[in-house]
Amino acid sequence: MGEAQDTTMTNGATTRDMANAIRALAMDAVQKANSGHPGMPMGMADVATVLFTEALRFDPSDPTWPDRDRFVLSAGHGSMLLYSLLYLTGYPEMEIGQLSNFRQLGSKTAGHPEYGYAPGIETTTGPLGQGLGNAVGMALAERLLNARLGDGLVGHYTYCLAGDGCLMEGISHEAISLAGHLKLGKLIVMWDDNSISIDGPTSLSVSDDQVKRFEASGWNTIRVDGHDPKAISAALAKARSDSSKPWLIACKTVIGYGAPTKAGKSSTHGEPLGVEEIKGAREKLSWSAAPFEIPEPVLNAWRALGTKGAAENAAWKARLAKAPAAAKAAFESPAAASRAKDLAAAITAAKAQFAADASKKATRVWSQLTLEHLVPAIPELLGGSADLTPSNGTRTKHHTAVEPGNFAGDYIHYGVREHGMAAAMNGIALHGGFIPYGATFLVFTDYCRPSIRLSALMHQRVIYVMTHDSIGLGEDGPTHQPIEHLAALRAIPNLLVLRPADALETAEAWEIALSHPTRPTVMALSRQAVPTIVRTGVIEENASAKGGYIASGGSAKRDVTLIATGSEVGLVAEAAAALAKEGINAAVVSMPSFELFRAQPEAYRNEVLGTAPRIAVEAAVAQGWHEWLRPGDRFIGLSDFGVSAPGPKVFEHFGLTAAKIADAARAITKNG
């Protein structure tokens, strides 16, 4: 493997000196923190330097310029590579003090890049492979916007730096397969092929030919010496000249490049180099500057590079100024910010239609009928499903499918790639211009969970349409019947979990999800048909927006309060009707969202829940429900996995019937 060369000059400094600035900052920051990963930044410094000097379009003075190239550090443990680049190129808020405060409380330089901490961090990339999945979504969003608005307004690349660990993770297989299928030609992945992981050489656990794997998934590929700037430059130029397929540039590197005794060893992956090793590295790299000091010629070269994109940005803004209003609206942040009236009108029309329909339908069907109103009203909505479109009800008559190389559509067939779908939706949301929703069965949120968690962590409006939400799905049995999933999802901070009971609540759930630009939503929808709940309030109001409300029985003195979500609201309403014939007043409380109900004033919560004995009913485990129940109150639900049988038989088997609920109410009121 060749040595990093001195021949290329950029703004008065050599490429090698510019790369060594990254290496020095990475060594120094990790050493001062006594924590971190110096090896990857040192190994990929040459690749990053060539990328930033020759290919990447960016403007530190306007970090959110919509047509900038995206740079995703999927190997997020090497965060000092990104932080060094942001500091060197002059991004706001990334001063040298932030680098010297690496991994410390209150710093913008967290152990792994965190979206929102500082400008220039495009996504949160702690879990390996997530950045690769995000990059696929970003590249897809770019192509979709380009198809709508043209080359003059949208024409940027997505670059992703991935490591050996990223490519071992299962999500990478889903992501690269989807990208290859769709022919996302403006996606360029640069693989840090250093053959080292935490345990030691990657040969301990993997022997895949990664280049052939990418080729098999429909990618262009090329191998280069990751320490030869000319070879890296040529590879990037080739990738940029052929956008027929996505590109993998396999960069053979030495982890911890420049460390005299630790280079190429796993000890440089996740440990500080040590004072003596850093001293030796400075000598080997001919770097005499003190810790956290960058020689003026080198810093000037980087800062000059940081100003280069301003002219392109200004030219783009001039083109945007002449564009139609619809094109300008496409770059609003958040997406569809100006469509509040359109959203309200669409939901009002849907609810009026549903109120006149007395038929029983599954909430997944009511969701599809709601989308028939929403899709034409909100063009930014981007639908999809993980190969369950007919079951999820996520495609409408207004949709057109996105096809390989043809991005004029607005519906994505993600295939059986739940995790890749979720990560790509995060990338789409982060990119801007769209509001993504994607679907599978609720039980398979287990396959999506890492990405759902990151949606919440990054405050991204991603909508997860999860159908077949309970034992009510029936014959598919325990493997497909979600039992613990609602509780697990409700445990994720900043995630909205909405389980609507009927047609009106389903339409309201969509309005809620679309009205929260900084929160993701999981919408849990039934397979089985449900009745429409008779409300005492005005249907035009969004009763679900408060998380819980009295559907009936709240006007008179209560004997018992029956609380439920989703399909079980119909059961408690039936039980309440039976109890009323016996003179027992049961208030029916529908609670589609714990999170929204928790956010209401205490007085409102007390009014809804009342002082009478409470029974909560949900076809799921009890975890979480005790927030709303007191000693002596009761939960009727599940404590084990489901069974395979027709849905009504399964409910009967587990005692989730109106008769059993009524019996419990009689007992609790008698005891009370």
Side-chain angles (χ1 to χ4, degrees), residues 56-70 91 122 153 156 308-317 319-320 331 431:
L56 195 74
R57 293 193 318 156
F58 64 103
D59 182 4
S61 68
D62 185 8
T64 59
W65 167 31
D67 203 33
R68 69 192 182 281
D69 289 340
R70 303 312 198 264
Y91 273 80
E122 299 283 6
L153 292 178
H156 52 270
K308 194 170 67 172
E312 286 187 271
N313 186 0
W316 179 86
K317 286 177 177 172
R319 294 193 296 274
L320 181 64
F331 298 105
H431 179 278

PDB file of all heavy atoms in Angstrom, residues 56-70 91 122 153 156 308-317 319-320 331 431:
ATOM      1  N   LEU A  56     -17.151  17.094  -2.978  1.00  0.00           N
ATOM      2  CA  LEU A  56     -18.297  17.463  -2.154  1.00  0.00           C
ATOM      3  C   LEU A  56     -18.679  18.926  -2.337  1.00  0.00           C
ATOM      4  O   LEU A  56     -17.827  19.817  -2.237  1.00  0.00           O
ATOM      5  CB  LEU A  56     -17.983  17.195  -0.682  1.00  0.00           C
ATOM      6  CG  LEU A  56     -19.182  17.179   0.266  1.00  0.00           C
ATOM      7  CD1 LEU A  56     -19.990  15.896   0.085  1.00  0.00           C
ATOM      8  CD2 LEU A  56     -18.725  17.316   1.713  1.00  0.00           C
ATOM      9  N   ARG A  57     -19.970  19.161  -2.606  1.00  0.00           N
ATOM     10  CA  ARG A  57     -20.501  20.527  -2.690  1.00  0.00           C
ATOM     11  C   ARG A  57     -21.155  20.860  -1.361  1.00  0.00           C
ATOM     12  O   ARG A  57     -22.123  20.215  -0.956  1.00  0.00           O
ATOM     13  CB  ARG A  57     -21.534  20.652  -3.809  1.00  0.00           C
ATOM     14  CG  ARG A  57     -21.001  20.502  -5.214  1.00  0.00           C
ATOM     15  CD  ARG A  57     -22.039  20.950  -6.228  1.00  0.00           C
ATOM     16  NE  ARG A  57     -23.372  20.474  -5.868  1.00  0.00           N
ATOM     17  CZ  ARG A  57     -24.508  21.056  -6.260  1.00  0.00           C
ATOM     18  NH1 ARG A  57     -24.481  22.151  -6.982  1.00  0.00           N
ATOM     19  NH2 ARG A  57     -25.671  20.557  -5.908  1.00  0.00           N
ATOM     20  N   PHE A  58     -20.640  21.871  -0.683  1.00  0.00           N
ATOM     21  CA  PHE A  58     -21.167  22.256   0.625  1.00  0.00           C
ATOM     22  C   PHE A  58     -20.863  23.719   0.858  1.00  0.00           C
ATOM     23  O   PHE A  58     -20.016  24.318   0.202  1.00  0.00           O
ATOM     24  CB  PHE A  58     -20.547  21.394   1.732  1.00  0.00           C
ATOM     25  CG  PHE A  58     -19.061  21.561   1.890  1.00  0.00           C
ATOM     26  CD1 PHE A  58     -18.540  22.319   2.925  1.00  0.00           C
ATOM     27  CD2 PHE A  58     -18.167  20.961   1.001  1.00  0.00           C
ATOM     28  CE1 PHE A  58     -17.164  22.486   3.076  1.00  0.00           C
ATOM     29  CE2 PHE A  58     -16.792  21.116   1.141  1.00  0.00           C
ATOM     30  CZ  PHE A  58     -16.290  21.880   2.180  1.00  0.00           C
ATOM     31  N   ASP A  59     -21.563  24.313   1.802  1.00  0.00           N
ATOM     32  CA  ASP A  59     -21.396  25.724   2.108  1.00  0.00           C
ATOM     33  C   ASP A  59     -21.566  25.915   3.612  1.00  0.00           C
ATOM     34  O   ASP A  59     -22.681  25.988   4.115  1.00  0.00           O
ATOM     35  CB  ASP A  59     -22.423  26.565   1.349  1.00  0.00           C
ATOM     36  CG  ASP A  59     -22.268  28.059   1.597  1.00  0.00           C
ATOM     37  OD1 ASP A  59     -21.319  28.457   2.298  1.00  0.00           O
ATOM     38  OD2 ASP A  59     -23.103  28.832   1.085  1.00  0.00           O
ATOM     39  N   PRO A  60     -20.463  25.980   4.362  1.00  0.00           N
ATOM     40  CA  PRO A  60     -20.560  26.130   5.812  1.00  0.00           C
ATOM     41  C   PRO A  60     -21.338  27.363   6.256  1.00  0.00           C
ATOM     42  O   PRO A  60     -21.903  27.371   7.355  1.00  0.00           O
ATOM     43  CB  PRO A  60     -19.098  26.210   6.263  1.00  0.00           C
ATOM     44  CG  PRO A  60     -18.338  25.496   5.191  1.00  0.00           C
ATOM     45  CD  PRO A  60     -19.063  25.823   3.921  1.00  0.00           C
ATOM     46  N   SER A  61     -21.388  28.387   5.415  1.00  0.00           N
ATOM     47  CA  SER A  61     -22.145  29.581   5.787  1.00  0.00           C
ATOM     48  C   SER A  61     -23.653  29.360   5.656  1.00  0.00           C
ATOM     49  O   SER A  61     -24.450  30.158   6.141  1.00  0.00           O
ATOM     50  CB  SER A  61     -21.727  30.769   4.915  1.00  0.00           C
ATOM     51  OG  SER A  61     -22.132  30.580   3.563  1.00  0.00           O
ATOM     52  N   ASP A  62     -24.055  28.263   5.026  1.00  0.00           N
ATOM     53  CA  ASP A  62     -25.463  27.904   4.869  1.00  0.00           C
ATOM     54  C   ASP A  62     -25.559  26.378   4.925  1.00  0.00           C
ATOM     55  O   ASP A  62     -25.766  25.710   3.911  1.00  0.00           O
ATOM     56  CB  ASP A  62     -25.996  28.429   3.534  1.00  0.00           C
ATOM     57  CG  ASP A  62     -27.495  28.199   3.370  1.00  0.00           C
ATOM     58  OD1 ASP A  62     -28.147  27.772   4.345  1.00  0.00           O
ATOM     59  OD2 ASP A  62     -28.015  28.435   2.258  1.00  0.00           O
ATOM     60  N   PRO A  63     -25.416  25.803   6.123  1.00  0.00           N
ATOM     61  CA  PRO A  63     -25.295  24.343   6.240  1.00  0.00           C
ATOM     62  C   PRO A  63     -26.501  23.555   5.748  1.00  0.00           C
ATOM     63  O   PRO A  63     -26.369  22.369   5.437  1.00  0.00           O
ATOM     64  CB  PRO A  63     -25.082  24.128   7.746  1.00  0.00           C
ATOM     65  CG  PRO A  63     -24.563  25.429   8.257  1.00  0.00           C
ATOM     66  CD  PRO A  63     -25.234  26.474   7.418  1.00  0.00           C
ATOM     67  N   THR A  64     -27.669  24.197   5.676  1.00  0.00           N
ATOM     68  CA  THR A  64     -28.868  23.470   5.249  1.00  0.00           C
ATOM     69  C   THR A  64     -29.267  23.799   3.808  1.00  0.00           C
ATOM     70  O   THR A  64     -30.403  23.529   3.408  1.00  0.00           O
ATOM     71  CB  THR A  64     -30.051  23.774   6.186  1.00  0.00           C
ATOM     72  OG1 THR A  64     -30.309  25.190   6.191  1.00  0.00           O
ATOM     73  CG2 THR A  64     -29.749  23.312   7.606  1.00  0.00           C
ATOM     74  N   TRP A  65     -28.372  24.365   3.042  1.00  0.00           N
ATOM     75  CA  TRP A  65     -28.606  24.602   1.609  1.00  0.00           C
ATOM     76  C   TRP A  65     -29.216  23.329   1.002  1.00  0.00           C
ATOM     77  O   TRP A  65     -28.593  22.273   1.008  1.00  0.00           O
ATOM     78  CB  TRP A  65     -27.270  24.964   0.963  1.00  0.00           C
ATOM     79  CG  TRP A  65     -27.236  24.954  -0.532  1.00  0.00           C
ATOM     80  CD1 TRP A  65     -28.248  25.229  -1.383  1.00  0.00           C
ATOM     81  CD2 TRP A  65     -26.089  24.669  -1.352  1.00  0.00           C
ATOM     82  NE1 TRP A  65     -27.821  25.137  -2.687  1.00  0.00           N
ATOM     83  CE2 TRP A  65     -26.505  24.786  -2.698  1.00  0.00           C
ATOM     84  CE3 TRP A  65     -24.764  24.331  -1.073  1.00  0.00           C
ATOM     85  CZ2 TRP A  65     -25.631  24.581  -3.766  1.00  0.00           C
ATOM     86  CZ3 TRP A  65     -23.897  24.123  -2.133  1.00  0.00           C
ATOM     87  CH2 TRP A  65     -24.328  24.250  -3.466  1.00  0.00           C
ATOM     88  N   PRO A  66     -30.433  23.395   0.478  1.00  0.00           N
ATOM     89  CA  PRO A  66     -31.125  22.166   0.074  1.00  0.00           C
ATOM     90  C   PRO A  66     -30.417  21.350  -1.005  1.00  0.00           C
ATOM     91  O   PRO A  66     -30.550  20.123  -1.025  1.00  0.00           O
ATOM     92  CB  PRO A  66     -32.485  22.674  -0.425  1.00  0.00           C
ATOM     93  CG  PRO A  66     -32.705  23.943   0.320  1.00  0.00           C
ATOM     94  CD  PRO A  66     -31.337  24.567   0.430  1.00  0.00           C
ATOM     95  N   ASP A  67     -29.676  22.006  -1.897  1.00  0.00           N
ATOM     96  CA  ASP A  67     -29.045  21.252  -2.980  1.00  0.00           C
ATOM     97  C   ASP A  67     -27.581  20.928  -2.692  1.00  0.00           C
ATOM     98  O   ASP A  67     -26.809  20.634  -3.600  1.00  0.00           O
ATOM     99  CB  ASP A  67     -29.156  22.007  -4.308  1.00  0.00           C
ATOM    100  CG  ASP A  67     -29.034  21.080  -5.514  1.00  0.00           C
ATOM    101  OD1 ASP A  67     -29.484  19.919  -5.413  1.00  0.00           O
ATOM    102  OD2 ASP A  67     -28.474  21.504  -6.540  1.00  0.00           O
ATOM    103  N   ARG A  68     -27.188  20.976  -1.428  1.00  0.00           N
ATOM    104  CA  ARG A  68     -25.837  20.549  -1.063  1.00  0.00           C
ATOM    105  C   ARG A  68     -25.698  19.044  -1.241  1.00  0.00           C
ATOM    106  O   ARG A  68     -26.691  18.304  -1.180  1.00  0.00           O
ATOM    107  CB  ARG A  68     -25.551  20.891   0.400  1.00  0.00           C
ATOM    108  CG  ARG A  68     -26.367  20.052   1.393  1.00  0.00           C
ATOM    109  CD  ARG A  68     -26.307  20.579   2.804  1.00  0.00           C
ATOM    110  NE  ARG A  68     -27.062  19.742   3.760  1.00  0.00           N
ATOM    111  CZ  ARG A  68     -28.362  19.766   3.911  1.00  0.00           C
ATOM    112  NH1 ARG A  68     -29.107  20.579   3.171  1.00  0.00           N
ATOM    113  NH2 ARG A  68     -28.953  18.975   4.799  1.00  0.00           N
ATOM    114  N   ASP A  69     -24.500  18.582  -1.434  1.00  0.00           N
ATOM    115  CA  ASP A  69     -24.246  17.156  -1.348  1.00  0.00           C
ATOM    116  C   ASP A  69     -24.385  16.722   0.103  1.00  0.00           C
ATOM    117  O   ASP A  69     -24.095  17.492   1.026  1.00  0.00           O
ATOM    118  CB  ASP A  69     -22.834  16.822  -1.841  1.00  0.00           C
ATOM    119  CG  ASP A  69     -22.681  16.981  -3.349  1.00  0.00           C
ATOM    120  OD1 ASP A  69     -23.699  16.985  -4.060  1.00  0.00           O
ATOM    121  OD2 ASP A  69     -21.527  17.110  -3.810  1.00  0.00           O
ATOM    122  N   ARG A  70     -24.809  15.486   0.305  1.00  0.00           N
ATOM    123  CA  ARG A  70     -24.915  14.951   1.661  1.00  0.00           C
ATOM    124  C   ARG A  70     -23.698  14.071   1.958  1.00  0.00           C
ATOM    125  O   ARG A  70     -23.306  13.255   1.122  1.00  0.00           O
ATOM    126  CB  ARG A  70     -26.190  14.123   1.845  1.00  0.00           C
ATOM    127  CG  ARG A  70     -27.517  14.837   1.542  1.00  0.00           C
ATOM    128  CD  ARG A  70     -27.664  16.210   2.182  1.00  0.00           C
ATOM    129  NE  ARG A  70     -29.031  16.667   2.225  1.00  0.00           N
ATOM    130  CZ  ARG A  70     -29.606  17.484   1.333  1.00  0.00           C
ATOM    131  NH1 ARG A  70     -28.904  17.953   0.316  1.00  0.00           N
ATOM    132  NH2 ARG A  70     -30.864  17.860   1.474  1.00  0.00           N
ATOM    133  N   TYR A  91     -17.393  25.378   9.695  1.00  0.00           N
ATOM    134  CA  TYR A  91     -18.810  25.314  10.043  1.00  0.00           C
ATOM    135  C   TYR A  91     -19.058  26.050  11.357  1.00  0.00           C
ATOM    136  O   TYR A  91     -18.250  25.964  12.284  1.00  0.00           O
ATOM    137  CB  TYR A  91     -19.260  23.861  10.186  1.00  0.00           C
ATOM    138  CG  TYR A  91     -19.706  23.240   8.883  1.00  0.00           C
ATOM    139  CD1 TYR A  91     -18.776  22.775   7.967  1.00  0.00           C
ATOM    140  CD2 TYR A  91     -21.060  23.138   8.564  1.00  0.00           C
ATOM    141  CE1 TYR A  91     -19.182  22.206   6.765  1.00  0.00           C
ATOM    142  CE2 TYR A  91     -21.478  22.573   7.374  1.00  0.00           C
ATOM    143  CZ  TYR A  91     -20.539  22.108   6.474  1.00  0.00           C
ATOM    144  OH  TYR A  91     -20.944  21.558   5.291  1.00  0.00           O
ATOM    145  N   GLU A 122     -25.408  15.413   9.395  1.00  0.00           N
ATOM    146  CA  GLU A 122     -26.602  15.141   8.608  1.00  0.00           C
ATOM    147  C   GLU A 122     -27.526  14.110   9.249  1.00  0.00           C
ATOM    148  O   GLU A 122     -28.725  14.085   8.959  1.00  0.00           O
ATOM    149  CB  GLU A 122     -26.213  14.648   7.203  1.00  0.00           C
ATOM    150  CG  GLU A 122     -25.396  15.648   6.385  1.00  0.00           C
ATOM    151  CD  GLU A 122     -26.242  16.774   5.802  1.00  0.00           C
ATOM    152  OE1 GLU A 122     -27.448  16.850   6.122  1.00  0.00           O
ATOM    153  OE2 GLU A 122     -25.689  17.579   5.020  1.00  0.00           O
ATOM    154  N   LEU A 153     -32.768  22.677 -10.029  1.00  0.00           N
ATOM    155  CA  LEU A 153     -32.995  22.877  -8.602  1.00  0.00           C
ATOM    156  C   LEU A 153     -32.543  21.697  -7.747  1.00  0.00           C
ATOM    157  O   LEU A 153     -32.267  21.866  -6.561  1.00  0.00           O
ATOM    158  CB  LEU A 153     -34.483  23.150  -8.341  1.00  0.00           C
ATOM    159  CG  LEU A 153     -35.025  24.480  -8.874  1.00  0.00           C
ATOM    160  CD1 LEU A 153     -36.513  24.598  -8.591  1.00  0.00           C
ATOM    161  CD2 LEU A 153     -34.272  25.659  -8.279  1.00  0.00           C
ATOM    162  N   HIS A 156     -27.852  16.806  -6.589  1.00  0.00           N
ATOM    163  CA  HIS A 156     -26.717  16.610  -5.700  1.00  0.00           C
ATOM    164  C   HIS A 156     -26.449  15.122  -5.459  1.00  0.00           C
ATOM    165  O   HIS A 156     -27.271  14.265  -5.753  1.00  0.00           O
ATOM    166  CB  HIS A 156     -26.932  17.318  -4.361  1.00  0.00           C
ATOM    167  CG  HIS A 156     -28.229  17.002  -3.691  1.00  0.00           C
ATOM    168  ND1 HIS A 156     -29.386  17.730  -3.906  1.00  0.00           N
ATOM    169  CD2 HIS A 156     -28.571  16.028  -2.816  1.00  0.00           C
ATOM    170  CE1 HIS A 156     -30.370  17.233  -3.178  1.00  0.00           C
ATOM    171  NE2 HIS A 156     -29.899  16.189  -2.510  1.00  0.00           N
ATOM    172  N   LYS A 308     -15.710  27.782  -0.899  1.00  0.00           N
ATOM    173  CA  LYS A 308     -15.857  27.514  -2.333  1.00  0.00           C
ATOM    174  C   LYS A 308     -17.303  27.294  -2.751  1.00  0.00           C
ATOM    175  O   LYS A 308     -17.698  27.635  -3.866  1.00  0.00           O
ATOM    176  CB  LYS A 308     -15.014  26.281  -2.700  1.00  0.00           C
ATOM    177  CG  LYS A 308     -14.814  26.091  -4.189  1.00  0.00           C
ATOM    178  CD  LYS A 308     -13.785  25.001  -4.473  1.00  0.00           C
ATOM    179  CE  LYS A 308     -14.279  23.631  -4.054  1.00  0.00           C
ATOM    180  NZ  LYS A 308     -13.370  22.543  -4.490  1.00  0.00           N
ATOM    181  N   GLY A 309     -18.118  26.713  -1.863  1.00  0.00           N
ATOM    182  CA  GLY A 309     -19.486  26.390  -2.245  1.00  0.00           C
ATOM    183  C   GLY A 309     -20.446  27.558  -2.220  1.00  0.00           C
ATOM    184  O   GLY A 309     -21.571  27.442  -2.713  1.00  0.00           O
ATOM    185  N   ALA A 310     -20.019  28.695  -1.675  1.00  0.00           N
ATOM    186  CA  ALA A 310     -20.934  29.835  -1.550  1.00  0.00           C
ATOM    187  C   ALA A 310     -21.435  30.315  -2.910  1.00  0.00           C
ATOM    188  O   ALA A 310     -22.603  30.695  -3.055  1.00  0.00           O
ATOM    189  CB  ALA A 310     -20.247  30.969  -0.800  1.00  0.00           C
ATOM    190  N   ALA A 311     -20.553  30.311  -3.912  1.00  0.00           N
ATOM    191  CA  ALA A 311     -20.952  30.781  -5.241  1.00  0.00           C
ATOM    192  C   ALA A 311     -22.004  29.858  -5.857  1.00  0.00           C
ATOM    193  O   ALA A 311     -22.989  30.329  -6.450  1.00  0.00           O
ATOM    194  CB  ALA A 311     -19.728  30.872  -6.147  1.00  0.00           C
ATOM    195  N   GLU A 312     -21.806  28.547  -5.712  1.00  0.00           N
ATOM    196  CA  GLU A 312     -22.797  27.609  -6.244  1.00  0.00           C
ATOM    197  C   GLU A 312     -24.121  27.750  -5.515  1.00  0.00           C
ATOM    198  O   GLU A 312     -25.192  27.679  -6.132  1.00  0.00           O
ATOM    199  CB  GLU A 312     -22.278  26.176  -6.111  1.00  0.00           C
ATOM    200  CG  GLU A 312     -21.187  25.807  -7.102  1.00  0.00           C
ATOM    201  CD  GLU A 312     -20.839  24.338  -7.018  1.00  0.00           C
ATOM    202  OE1 GLU A 312     -19.956  23.992  -6.220  1.00  0.00           O
ATOM    203  OE2 GLU A 312     -21.464  23.539  -7.746  1.00  0.00           O
ATOM    204  N   ASN A 313     -24.048  27.961  -4.223  1.00  0.00           N
ATOM    205  CA  ASN A 313     -25.253  28.147  -3.430  1.00  0.00           C
ATOM    206  C   ASN A 313     -26.001  29.398  -3.890  1.00  0.00           C
ATOM    207  O   ASN A 313     -27.226  29.387  -4.070  1.00  0.00           O
ATOM    208  CB  ASN A 313     -24.874  28.260  -1.954  1.00  0.00           C
ATOM    209  CG  ASN A 313     -26.077  28.322  -1.024  1.00  0.00           C
ATOM    210  OD1 ASN A 313     -27.227  28.286  -1.453  1.00  0.00           O
ATOM    211  ND2 ASN A 313     -25.810  28.415   0.272  1.00  0.00           N
ATOM    212  N   ALA A 314     -25.266  30.476  -4.106  1.00  0.00           N
ATOM    213  CA  ALA A 314     -25.887  31.724  -4.547  1.00  0.00           C
ATOM    214  C   ALA A 314     -26.545  31.560  -5.915  1.00  0.00           C
ATOM    215  O   ALA A 314     -27.650  32.072  -6.159  1.00  0.00           O
ATOM    216  CB  ALA A 314     -24.844  32.838  -4.596  1.00  0.00           C
ATOM    217  N   ALA A 315     -25.881  30.843  -6.814  1.00  0.00           N
ATOM    218  CA  ALA A 315     -26.448  30.605  -8.142  1.00  0.00           C
ATOM    219  C   ALA A 315     -27.726  29.775  -8.037  1.00  0.00           C
ATOM    220  O   ALA A 315     -28.713  30.017  -8.750  1.00  0.00           O
ATOM    221  CB  ALA A 315     -25.423  29.901  -9.023  1.00  0.00           C
ATOM    222  N   TRP A 316     -27.708  28.796  -7.128  1.00  0.00           N
ATOM    223  CA  TRP A 316     -28.896  27.977  -6.930  1.00  0.00           C
ATOM    224  C   TRP A 316     -30.047  28.824  -6.392  1.00  0.00           C
ATOM    225  O   TRP A 316     -31.193  28.698  -6.858  1.00  0.00           O
ATOM    226  CB  TRP A 316     -28.579  26.842  -5.949  1.00  0.00           C
ATOM    227  CG  TRP A 316     -29.746  25.955  -5.673  1.00  0.00           C
ATOM    228  CD1 TRP A 316     -30.142  24.879  -6.402  1.00  0.00           C
ATOM    229  CD2 TRP A 316     -30.694  26.081  -4.599  1.00  0.00           C
ATOM    230  NE1 TRP A 316     -31.273  24.313  -5.853  1.00  0.00           N
ATOM    231  CE2 TRP A 316     -31.641  25.032  -4.744  1.00  0.00           C
ATOM    232  CE3 TRP A 316     -30.837  26.960  -3.536  1.00  0.00           C
ATOM    233  CZ2 TRP A 316     -32.700  24.864  -3.860  1.00  0.00           C
ATOM    234  CZ3 TRP A 316     -31.897  26.790  -2.660  1.00  0.00           C
ATOM    235  CH2 TRP A 316     -32.816  25.755  -2.823  1.00  0.00           C
ATOM    236  N   LYS A 317     -29.759  29.694  -5.447  1.00  0.00           N
ATOM    237  CA  LYS A 317     -30.810  30.536  -4.881  1.00  0.00           C
ATOM    238  C   LYS A 317     -31.381  31.486  -5.931  1.00  0.00           C
ATOM    239  O   LYS A 317     -32.581  31.806  -5.913  1.00  0.00           O
ATOM    240  CB  LYS A 317     -30.268  31.320  -3.695  1.00  0.00           C
ATOM    241  CG  LYS A 317     -30.069  30.455  -2.455  1.00  0.00           C
ATOM    242  CD  LYS A 317     -29.454  31.227  -1.305  1.00  0.00           C
ATOM    243  CE  LYS A 317     -29.335  30.346  -0.068  1.00  0.00           C
ATOM    244  NZ  LYS A 317     -28.570  30.996   1.013  1.00  0.00           N
ATOM    245  N   ARG A 319     -31.676  30.749  -9.096  1.00  0.00           N
ATOM    246  CA  ARG A 319     -32.585  29.928  -9.903  1.00  0.00           C
ATOM    247  C   ARG A 319     -33.890  29.677  -9.151  1.00  0.00           C
ATOM    248  O   ARG A 319     -34.978  29.716  -9.741  1.00  0.00           O
ATOM    249  CB  ARG A 319     -31.925  28.593 -10.269  1.00  0.00           C
ATOM    250  CG  ARG A 319     -30.725  28.728 -11.187  1.00  0.00           C
ATOM    251  CD  ARG A 319     -30.307  27.379 -11.767  1.00  0.00           C
ATOM    252  NE  ARG A 319     -29.845  26.436 -10.760  1.00  0.00           N
ATOM    253  CZ  ARG A 319     -28.611  26.355 -10.295  1.00  0.00           C
ATOM    254  NH1 ARG A 319     -27.677  27.206 -10.750  1.00  0.00           N
ATOM    255  NH2 ARG A 319     -28.267  25.449  -9.392  1.00  0.00           N
ATOM    256  N   LEU A 320     -33.784  29.437  -7.839  1.00  0.00           N
ATOM    257  CA  LEU A 320     -34.985  29.189  -7.046  1.00  0.00           C
ATOM    258  C   LEU A 320     -35.888  30.415  -7.020  1.00  0.00           C
ATOM    259  O   LEU A 320     -37.117  30.288  -7.054  1.00  0.00           O
ATOM    260  CB  LEU A 320     -34.594  28.799  -5.617  1.00  0.00           C
ATOM    261  CG  LEU A 320     -35.751  28.491  -4.664  1.00  0.00           C
ATOM    262  CD1 LEU A 320     -36.527  27.259  -5.132  1.00  0.00           C
ATOM    263  CD2 LEU A 320     -35.251  28.293  -3.236  1.00  0.00           C
ATOM    264  N   PHE A 331     -39.140  23.201  -0.868  1.00  0.00           N
ATOM    265  CA  PHE A 331     -37.960  23.319  -0.023  1.00  0.00           C
ATOM    266  C   PHE A 331     -38.285  23.893   1.354  1.00  0.00           C
ATOM    267  O   PHE A 331     -37.391  24.260   2.106  1.00  0.00           O
ATOM    268  CB  PHE A 331     -36.900  24.179  -0.724  1.00  0.00           C
ATOM    269  CG  PHE A 331     -36.425  23.584  -2.010  1.00  0.00           C
ATOM    270  CD1 PHE A 331     -36.840  24.108  -3.224  1.00  0.00           C
ATOM    271  CD2 PHE A 331     -35.589  22.483  -2.007  1.00  0.00           C
ATOM    272  CE1 PHE A 331     -36.417  23.546  -4.426  1.00  0.00           C
ATOM    273  CE2 PHE A 331     -35.155  21.915  -3.198  1.00  0.00           C
ATOM    274  CZ  PHE A 331     -35.575  22.442  -4.405  1.00  0.00           C
ATOM    275  N   HIS A 431     -33.473  14.369   4.643  1.00  0.00           N
ATOM    276  CA  HIS A 431     -33.159  15.067   3.399  1.00  0.00           C
ATOM    277  C   HIS A 431     -34.047  16.275   3.206  1.00  0.00           C
ATOM    278  O   HIS A 431     -33.601  17.349   2.807  1.00  0.00           O
ATOM    279  CB  HIS A 431     -33.305  14.110   2.214  1.00  0.00           C
ATOM    280  CG  HIS A 431     -33.036  14.752   0.889  1.00  0.00           C
ATOM    281  ND1 HIS A 431     -33.986  15.506   0.209  1.00  0.00           N
ATOM    282  CD2 HIS A 431     -31.920  14.781   0.126  1.00  0.00           C
ATOM    283  CE1 HIS A 431     -33.456  15.956  -0.921  1.00  0.00           C
ATOM    284  NE2 HIS A 431     -32.206  15.525  -0.982  1.00  0.00           N
TER     285      HIS A 431
END
